[in-house]
Amino acid sequence: MKKFTAIREECCEANRALPNTGLVDLTFGNVSVLDAAAGVFAIKPSGVAYAKLKPADMVLVDLDGKIVAGQLRPSSDAPTHRILFRAFSGVRSIVHTHSRHAVAFAQAAREIPNLGTTHADYFDGPVPLTRALTPAEIARDYEGETGNVIVERFRNLNPLDVPAALVRHHGVFVWGISAAKALETAQALEAIAQMALWTLQLRPAAPPIPTALHKKHFRRKHGPAAYYGQKANRL
Ligand SMILES: [Zn+2]
């Protein structure tokens, strides 16, 4: 499995970095990285402490859900990652966390409204919330159906312009062109959620950011007219 060394290393490094981001309590988080040409992704093994992870521990799974290589069981969230990779072309890495302020919105069943420029730098609109899973979906294929409700929520959204979803009652899935970029967006999302929570406490009816200011901030970082930062880091 030598040819998957690069995604194993990128995946391992990002998973090992998770505890230092403050996004994760205990082991509630995982990162995956896709080799799009091969249709194979690397993901954290289930129940292994982040600090102990080695590239060789990463489990390789194909886009049909078959384990290609790895001695350990993959994260139980692997089916969610698989469904998102299949549906969202251009996405190379997915981060899942239960970061606290974002989860507060997910548990309150509220999307995160776009209230300011920090949000607009990362998301072209509110951070969307999935619908509740039905009891039949939970019983049939809980993790796979979690992926399906995210894909369903994005039917009229571009996942490259809105690179995260709040899963109702659960947590967040965030994605990007690399593990580093997906991790950065996951950290930005948590900061945005905290800012939004405080804003709504101070002013429950706070209006969204004006459209012109939102578009200015989003477009200077994304798309053909982007001029902020370095091109390789843009989603
Ligand atoms: Zn979770």
Side-chain angles (χ1 to χ4, degrees), residues 77 96 98 170:
D77 296 312
H96 171 54
H98 298 180
H170 180 177

Side-chain angles (χ1 to χ4, degrees), residues 5 7-8 16 26 40 64 66 101 107 113 120 129 141 145-146 150-151 160-161 169 174 211 223:
T5 302
I7 59 169
R8 278 183 151 157
R16 287 180 62 104
L26 303 172
V40 169
D64 294 321
K66 197 165 111 317
H101 294 88
Q107 293 186 168
L129 172 76
D141 175 15
E145 295 293 355
T146 297
I150 296 172
V151 173
L160 300 181
D161 289 344
H169 307 136
V174 185
T211 301

Side-chain angles (χ1 to χ4, degrees), residues 134-155:
T134 66
E137 287 167 339
I138 293 166
R140 185 168 57 231
D141 175 15
Y142 171 56
E143 291 82 5
E145 295 293 355
T146 297
N148 288 336
V149 291
I150 296 172
V151 173
E152 179 185 306
R153 183 65 187 80
F154 276 74
R155 198 176 294 147

Side-chain angles (χ1 to χ4, degrees), residues 34-89:
L34 176 71
D35 179 330
V40 169
F41 65 93
I43 190 163
K44 179 185 175 290
S46 184
V48 179
Y50 296 102
K52 293 207 165 117
L53 291 172
K54 300 186 298 293
D57 296 333
M58 299 303 110
V59 186
L60 297 173
V61 183
D62 73 17
L63 292 180
D64 294 321
K66 197 165 111 317
I67 294 177
V68 174
Q71 304 299 315
L72 301 164
R73 278 194 312 118
S75 159
S76 55
D77 296 312
T80 316
H81 290 246
R82 181 175 73 80
I83 289 196
L84 297 183
F85 281 133
R86 284 183 78 121
F88 295 164
S89 80

